[in-house]
């Protein structure tokens, strides 16, 4: 646990962590609404687009596993700032990639650094904020998802559409520039966090990681988080393409859809964190897991309808799908002791990225574009995602039991 902070210091501390989350989430998310643009400009199909998305997630998964060897052996602040600086360079490289294959490689490097950052930020919150307030704190940090959809995605799409000489490259350059400012904010407001170094054990590091990875309660947590990611990321990457090709929504309204969803989740994320702390994280998760299946199934079976109906459904989808992660991460972070939390959360991050990569590739292989230009078989993806969502409803009870044992 790091040194005690005043309320103002804690706010800036969480703001800096949220800023890091904002940029690496935006870096991943911007690929999805730009899907139609990538398919057109790079002359690729849905399967190749899925591979482009998965280059980020698979690299993040591998990097997360590699990070387990050192994540708990260094002071948190130092490693966070170093990784973030590398992420900025990789994101800038995406903006200057000359072709599909170079972009694929640049995305892999961005994913490698971004994936570790995601789990490291959550580890730092768990190390620094008491469990009783952790739901609210994670709600603040994870509001970065909402901010990225509220401001980041619409602005990035605007830049891509209106800076003609840059096109799809503009968002990546924009993210890199914003990240430099956040790096400075993090440098000023994140203190040294080294309490975990007092508990480092000698011996084979591989055996330590292996023991953490195969523990029964850890395996349940990995499965739980993997199914959560599959539920969302088999559907999310292809929403923009489906809405423009099948529902008849003009491409210019895609940013509005993300804007409305982002505003709503920005307002709801802290409230969901508060409710999880007050009424119990299992109960809140289960309610969100079940209700979220409604907009999920509607999204993957939607026919041409007015824009206002699309907005209601998509906004509900964003609120509920992202909201599940707040109580889920609060519970999972408490399954282990602080001395191995960094290693465990790195493995969790790898599972999340691996699962989302598998989901996007599998969904890309299932859906096709017919002769009429419309997506086909998206409904099958939705049914599979709903089945995974139902499994998380069952598994969360075991996570709650494991969490109490860890205490």
């Amino acid at each position: 646990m790091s040194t005690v902070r005043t309320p103002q210091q804690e706010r800036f501390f969480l703001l800096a962590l949220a800023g890091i989350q904002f940029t690496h989430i935006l870096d991943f998310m911007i690929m999805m609404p730009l899907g139609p643009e990538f398919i057109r400009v790079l002359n690729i199909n849905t399967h190749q687009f899925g591979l482009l998305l998965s280059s980020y997630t698979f690299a993040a998964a591998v990097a997360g596993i590699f990070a387990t060897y050192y994540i708990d052996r260094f002071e948190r602040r130092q490693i966070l700032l170093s990784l973030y600086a590398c992420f900025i360079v990789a994101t800038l490289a995406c903006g200057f990639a000359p072709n599909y294959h170079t972009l694929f490689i640049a995305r892999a490097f961005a994913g490698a650094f971004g994936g570790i950052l995601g789990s490291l930020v959550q580890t730092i919150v768990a190390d620094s904020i008491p469990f009783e307030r952790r739901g609210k704190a994670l709600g603040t940090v994870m509001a970065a998802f909402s901010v990225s959809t509220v401001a980041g995605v619409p602005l990035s799409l605007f830049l891509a559409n209106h800076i003609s000489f840059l096109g799809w490259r503009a968002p990546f350059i924009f993210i890199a520039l914003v990240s430099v400012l956040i790096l400075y904010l993090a440098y000023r407001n994140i203190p040294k966090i080294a309490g975990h170094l007092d508990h480092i054990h000698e011996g084979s590091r591989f055996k330590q990681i292996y023991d953490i990875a195969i523990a029964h309660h850890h395996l349940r947590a990995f499965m739980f988080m993997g199914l959560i990611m599959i539920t969302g990321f088999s559907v999310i990457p292809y929403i923009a393409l489906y809405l423009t090709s099948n529902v008849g929504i003009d491409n210019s309204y895609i940013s509005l859809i993300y804007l409305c969803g982002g505003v709503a989740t920005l307002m709801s994320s802290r409230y969901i964190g508060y409710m999880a702390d007050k009424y119990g994280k299992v109960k809140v998760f289960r309610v969100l897991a079940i209700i979220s299946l409604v907009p999920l199934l509607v999204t993957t079976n939607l026919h041409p309808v007015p824009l206002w109906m699309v907005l209601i459904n998509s906004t509900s989808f964003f609120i509920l799908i992202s909201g599940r992660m707040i109580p889920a991460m609060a519970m999972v972070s408490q399954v282990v002791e602080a001395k191995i939390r960094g290693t465990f959360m790195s493995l969790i991050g790898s599972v999340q990225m691996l699962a989302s990569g598998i989901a996007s590739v599998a969904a890309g292989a299932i859906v096709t574009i017919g002769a009429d230009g419309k997506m086909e078989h998206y409904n099958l993806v939705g049914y599979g995602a709903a089945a995974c969502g139902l499994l998380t409803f069952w598994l969360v009870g075991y996570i709650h039991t494991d969490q109490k044992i860890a205490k």
Side-chain angles (χ1 to χ4, degrees):
M1 190 83 62
S2 61
T3 56
V4 177
R5 302 180 185 82
T6 66
Q8 183 178 10
Q9 288 175 327
E10 186 171 296
R11 281 195 295 272
F12 279 103
F13 165 73
L14 292 174
L15 179 62
L17 293 177
I20 292 173
Q21 287 286 73
F22 163 74
T23 47
H24 88 75
I25 289 172
L26 177 59
D27 183 67
F28 175 62
M29 282 188 60
I30 194 59
M31 296 289 292
M32 301 175 200
L34 283 173
E37 180 73 4
F38 280 115
I39 289 173
R40 182 183 63 84
V41 174
L42 299 178
N43 193 28
I44 59 178
N45 55 36
T46 55
H47 180 61
Q48 289 173 305
F49 176 62
L51 289 174
L52 190 60
L53 287 175
S54 66
S55 68
Y56 187 103
T57 54
F58 286 145
V62 173
I65 294 172
F66 175 73
T68 60
Y69 279 85
Y70 61 82
I71 199 77
D72 282 329
R73 298 190 167 226
F74 290 90
E75 188 269 314
R76 306 282 195 217
R77 177 181 183 273
Q78 179 184 19
I79 196 168
L80 179 74
L81 297 179
S82 300
L83 288 170
Y84 194 47
C86 294
F87 164 79
I88 294 172
V89 174
T91 300
L92 195 61
C94 293
F96 291 103
N99 53 50
Y100 173 81
H101 296 95
T102 308
L103 179 61
F104 184 96
I105 295 171
R107 293 303 296 156
F109 276 101
F113 297 119
I116 302 174
L117 284 171
S119 58
L120 184 56
V121 166
Q122 292 163 354
T123 300
I124 289 173
V125 172
D127 281 347
S128 308
I129 306 296
F131 182 71
E132 294 73 21
R133 294 190 289 112
R134 198 173 300 160
K136 187 176 180 180
L138 281 170
T140 299
V141 172
M142 294 176 70
F145 173 85
S146 309
V147 176
S148 70
T149 54
V150 170
V153 171
L155 180 57
S156 297
L157 289 173
F158 177 84
L159 294 173
N161 292 329
H162 291 84
I163 303 181
S164 56
F165 71 95
L166 288 178
W168 60 263
R169 304 173 189 278
F172 297 108
I173 297 173
F174 163 71
I175 293 169
L177 293 175
V178 171
S179 298
V180 171
L181 297 177
I182 294 173
L183 178 62
Y184 176 74
L185 178 67
Y187 175 80
R188 292 293 303 272
N189 293 283
I190 296 178
K192 181 179 179 180
I193 302 171
H196 60 288
L197 296 178
D198 297 333
H199 305 285
I200 289 180
H201 296 295
E202 298 299 328
S204 170
R205 182 60 178 154
F206 176 80
K207 186 177 186 304
Q208 292 170 12
I209 296 168
Y210 178 76
D211 290 341
I212 293 171
I214 66 167
H216 292 306
H217 56 298
H218 294 172
L219 290 173
R220 284 191 286 267
F222 298 149
M223 184 181 297
F224 176 63
M225 293 308 303
L227 289 170
I228 288 177
M229 298 305 291
I230 291 172
T231 303
F233 281 93
S234 56
V235 173
I236 293 173
Y238 303 96
I239 290 178
L241 185 59
Y242 186 77
L243 291 178
T244 54
S245 62
N246 290 54
V247 185
I249 301 300
D250 190 271
N251 194 55
S252 61
Y253 288 115
I254 296 300
S255 59
L256 176 63
I257 290 169
Y258 276 84
L259 177 63
C260 291
V263 169
T265 50
L266 180 61
M267 293 187 295
S268 66
S269 59
R270 282 178 63 85
Y271 179 71
I272 290 173
Y274 167 77
M275 295 292 285
D277 288 338
K278 183 176 181 180
Y279 295 107
K281 295 168 179 64
V282 172
K283 183 182 293 185
V284 171
F285 176 85
R286 280 180 164 162
V287 170
L288 293 172
I290 292 298
I291 299 176
S292 66
L293 300 183
V294 176
L296 186 151
L297 291 172
V298 170
T299 297
T300 54
N301 288 274
L302 201 59
H303 295 289
V305 293
L307 178 62
W308 65 268
M309 294 184 67
V310 173
L311 288 173
I312 291 174
N313 181 70
S314 62
T315 300
S316 301
F317 179 88
F318 278 119
I319 291 173
L320 298 170
I321 289 294
S322 64
R324 300 170 310 153
M325 291 295 293
I326 296 170
M329 288 307 304
M331 284 185 290
V332 167
S333 68
Q334 197 65 12
V335 167
V336 297
E337 301 173 86
K339 62 183 180 182
I340 60 169
R341 185 176 287 133
T343 299
F344 175 74
M345 293 302 288
S346 291
L347 290 172
I348 284 287
S350 293
V351 169
Q352 287 178 290
M353 288 299 178
L354 180 62
S356 60
I358 291 172
S360 62
V361 170
I366 293 171
V367 300
T368 56
I369 298 178
D372 57 358
K374 293 185 177 181
M375 274 180 60
E376 299 175 349
H377 312 306
Y378 195 38
N379 60 327
L380 299 179
V381 173
Y383 298 141
C388 292
L390 289 174
L391 287 174
T392 64
F393 180 90
W394 166 67
L395 269 174
V396 71
Y398 289 97
I399 304 302
H400 178 59
T401 302
D402 294 336
Q403 168 207 308
K404 289 193 293 185
I405 291 173
K407 283 184 177 181

